[in-house]
Amino acid sequence: MKRDYEGRLMRNKTFTYILPMLQDYVKIKKENLINTYIGSQDRPDDNNHIFLLFKFSGEKEFLEYENYLTTTKLYVDSYDPDKYHVMYVFKVPKKHQDVYDLFKEGKYSEFPQAYKISLFEFHNIKTPTHRVAQVLFKHPDLREEWEEKLNIPIPEDSEVSSVPDMDSEIYSDKYKYVDPIKPMENPFD
C-alpha cells in the first residue's frame, strides 16, 4: 500500500467513492480498515462486489465487529488473504448499482445528487474546494490544474479525474503481507 509524503496510508478510489454506498447497510469502522476494493484476484468470480480489507486484531472489540459484519444484509463471505489481514466481501446495494457502474467508467460527475451528498457526509467533506467535491462537480480550477500539469487543453465536458486504475482497485498478491524472513522449509532438499 502506498504512503504519502507524511507516511499516511493512501487509499484508493474505491475507498473514496464506493465504500460510502455500504453505510445504510453496514456500520463502517475505519480503525482497522486498510482499504476497499471492487474485486480480488483471490476471488475472480466475485464480480460486482465490494471488498473490505481489515488488519486483523484479536481484541474483543474487533472480534465483536467481525461477528457483526457477518450478520449484515449484504455480507457474502470473508477470508484471510494472509496471516495479518481479513477480507470481507459484500454485495453492491441494488439502489447503488448505477453508481458502481459509473465509477468503473470514471464518470464521477454523473453520480446522482443524493449519492454525492451521502458521500460528503460519510467522508465529512464540508467545502466545495475539497478535491473529491471538485471531481464530482468537474470544478474548473481542477481542470486548469490538470491542463497545466499535462500541458494540454481539456474539454469542459471531460471528467477531471482519471478512470479508476484497476491495478489499484482490485486486490492482488502485491498487497499481501510477506514475511521478510521466512524460514526455509527443508534446506537440504
Side-chain angles (χ1 to χ4, degrees), residues 61-113:
E61 186 176 313
F62 183 76
L63 297 174
E64 288 171 351
Y65 182 63
E66 279 193 305
N67 186 53
Y68 158 75
L69 291 175
T70 65
T71 66
T72 60
K73 179 180 179 179
L74 299 175
Y75 173 79
V76 174
D77 195 14
S78 61
Y79 65 95
D80 299 335
D82 60 47
K83 67 182 186 177
Y84 297 101
H85 298 93
V86 60
M87 183 77 78
Y88 284 86
V89 185
F90 297 92
K91 291 182 242 176
V92 174
K94 288 181 184 174
K95 76 176 188 176
H96 294 307
Q97 184 64 54
D98 59 335
V99 174
Y100 189 88
D101 295 337
L102 288 168
F103 168 78
K104 292 195 303 187
E105 296 175 34
K107 296 181 179 179
Y108 314 103
S109 67
E110 295 181 27
F111 290 178
Q113 188 73 9

Side-chain angles (χ1 to χ4, degrees), residues 76-170:
V76 174
D77 195 14
S78 61
Y79 65 95
D80 299 335
D82 60 47
K83 67 182 186 177
Y84 297 101
H85 298 93
V86 60
M87 183 77 78
Y88 284 86
V89 185
F90 297 92
K91 291 182 242 176
V92 174
K94 288 181 184 174
K95 76 176 188 176
H96 294 307
Q97 184 64 54
D98 59 335
V99 174
Y100 189 88
D101 295 337
L102 288 168
F103 168 78
K104 292 195 303 187
E105 296 175 34
K107 296 181 179 179
Y108 314 103
S109 67
E110 295 181 27
F111 290 178
Q113 188 73 9
Y115 186 75
K116 290 177 183 179
I117 291 168
S118 69
L119 188 149
F120 290 163
E121 290 170 351
F122 182 83
H123 290 300
N124 200 26
I125 297 170
K126 298 185 187 287
T127 66
T129 57
H130 190 282
R131 189 74 157 198
V132 172
Q134 290 182 329
V135 168
L136 291 174
F137 292 100
K138 295 186 189 178
H139 197 281
D141 289 350
L142 188 53
R143 179 180 337 291
E144 285 179 30
E145 180 183 320
W146 282 114
E147 286 178 332
E148 287 176 22
K149 284 181 181 178
L150 300 172
N151 198 27
I152 58 168
I154 298 175
E156 286 188 24
D157 62 340
S158 294
E159 295 290 335
V160 292
S161 185
S162 62
V163 173
D165 175 8
M166 291 306 143
D167 196 43
S168 300
E169 309 306 327
I170 294 178

